[in-house]
Amino acid sequence: MKKIPLHIRIFIGMLLGIILGILSIVFHLGPFVTDWIKPFGTIFINLLKLIAIPLILVSLISGVSNLKDMSKLSRIGGKTLSLYLITTVIAIVVGLIAVNSIKPGNFLSKEKQMELSAKYANDANLRVTDAQKLKESGPLQVIVDIVPDNIFGSMSNNRNMLQVIFFSILFGIALIMAPEQKGIPVKNFFDGVNEVILKIVDIVMHYAPVGVFALLGALIVDFAGDDPKQALELFSALGIYAITVLLSLALMVLVIYPLIMRMFTHIKYKQFTKAILPAQIMAFSTSSSAATLPVTMECAEKNLGIKEEITSFVLPLGATVNMDGTSIHQAVTAVFIAQAFGHDLTIVDQLMIILTATLSSIGAAAVPSAGLITLVIVLGAIGVSPEGLALIIAIDRPLDMCRTIVNITGDAVVASIVATTENGFQKIEPVN
Ligand code: ASP
């Protein structure tokens, strides 16, 4: 019998998880799912997080040193960062156009607004305190925070990806500059470790269908809580807002990316989507670009045929700094909260949103709900009270799952463009 391809098995896991979630709500099996199914999802997330830091460290060191000379590095680096910046700004503009045309904030009744603010005020305050710490430390603190004072300290926390990236690029550059006979053994060592880590990814991926099944089943149970009716009510109150976010995300994936791919690459968008589908499912199930990174890299190399020399540089960087989905979400949510509070936004405010949403999506860690914390900075920039977060916190998780899909899709689009301009494709078996 022919083996079912992994991406189909992951897809089946996802569907079964959703069915399990719904059935457990209907038959009141929530506690069973939480006790006996959810842990398998947590194990899967832990496995993915476990390899995130070693993968970023080793693949960037080996990726940068593979570029062999500084001029190639600065060319590819410049191209990658510019593309990341341009796509992020496009994403924010898409979000702003959608939210200003639909005006979801005007659909939220005053009573619902008060009810939500009161109910989620505590959660919102926690996020605000986190973000306040970020803000109080002066305008250049964001840059200071990129430079670690102890690399082992940075590697001990998945939220410090930017610091790990900084160290890896520095190490890779120094490796290119080191005398050849001394540098080669070090490079071989990192290339070898890179191979080993990719094998670990392969092993973990065999477990992915089970992991995705458990994660989604448990997520649905958690979301519905003790009173699924209330969850539905919440959804309908915030429905127009959620639709605005989803519509903007869909516009990015179904219109903007295909256009960009068509203009700058020879890859058919249908083929592209098929190739990165496993990564998209993983992003949806884990809500974390960092946890999805190993799969994004595997899809880009094996299914799209992009050379490792490109993926190992572009994708680890993108997982952390390029978040088109998060920036769309920041734009829509900031304007939504302003509308709900009856706060008129000027053109200058909208420009401030473009600027701050770009910066905060770069600064957001590639983990679940990171975008909520940095959203406080965008709200602050346009003079809207950060307590407004209380309005949307309850339905953030499903939106986070969807924006993470866009985050990793954007990374793969940029990797495809860089590969096209750098002759960065190898021959591959077509994906089926
Ligand atoms: N969950 C997102 C990611 O990891 C970040 C966010 O928007 O919260 O890509």
Side-chain angles (χ1 to χ4, degrees), residues 143-337:
I143 302 177
V144 175
D145 284 344
I146 296 177
V147 185
D149 58 2
N150 181 333
I151 187 58
F152 295 101
S154 318
M155 287 199 293
S156 67
N157 186 341
N158 280 346
R159 287 180 183 265
N160 294 334
M161 296 292 186
L162 271 179
Q163 299 187 343
V164 178
I165 288 182
F166 176 84
F167 176 78
S168 317
I169 294 180
L170 188 65
F171 194 100
I173 292 176
L175 191 52
I176 298 177
M177 293 161 74
E180 211 176 318
Q181 73 278 27
K182 300 271 187 220
I184 283 180
V186 181
K187 183 169 165 28
N188 287 344
F189 169 77
F190 279 104
D191 287 348
V193 178
N194 201 18
E195 286 300 317
V196 174
I197 290 179
L198 293 179
K199 277 284 163 279
I200 300 183
V201 174
D202 271 346
I203 299 171
V204 173
M205 287 317 292
H206 281 292
Y207 178 63
V210 179
V212 166
F213 162 76
L215 275 177
L216 286 177
L219 260 174
I220 293 182
V221 169
D222 281 353
F223 186 73
D226 302 330
D227 186 356
K229 254 212 211 117
Q230 221 178 26
L232 277 181
E233 233 178 66
L234 192 77
F235 236 109
S236 48
L238 294 171
I240 308 276
Y241 156 72
I243 289 173
T244 313
V245 173
L246 295 176
L247 191 80
S248 321
L249 294 174
L251 266 175
M252 200 67 195
V253 175
L254 301 176
V255 179
I256 307 286
Y257 288 152
L259 268 176
I260 296 180
M261 289 289 285
R262 204 187 170 136
M263 269 156 54
F264 299 106
T265 73
H266 58 270
I267 306 173
K268 295 246 174 333
Y269 198 66
K270 204 170 147 203
Q271 181 201 348
F272 172 82
T273 309
K274 209 169 178 181
I276 60 156
L277 188 66
Q280 291 179 327
I281 295 178
M282 208 54 71
F284 182 75
S285 322
T286 63
S287 281
S288 165
S289 313
T292 310
L293 177 64
V295 192
T296 320
M297 290 180 70
E298 200 168 78
C299 291
E301 282 162 32
K302 292 199 181 141
N303 302 349
L304 283 173
I306 301 177
K307 284 186 190 157
E308 201 192 318
E309 119 180 340
I310 307 277
T311 57
S312 60
F313 176 73
V314 177
L315 292 176
L317 201 64
T320 320
V321 305
N322 182 49
M323 297 192 179
D324 297 344
T326 300
S327 37
I328 287 183
H329 177 257
Q330 308 243 327
V332 174
T333 309
V335 178
F336 167 73
I337 295 175

Side-chain angles (χ1 to χ4, degrees), residues 287-290 323 326 365-372 400 403-404 407:
S287 281
S288 165
S289 313
M323 297 192 179
T326 300
V367 296
S369 304
L372 268 189
D400 192 2
R403 65 183 184 249
T404 309
N407 288 348

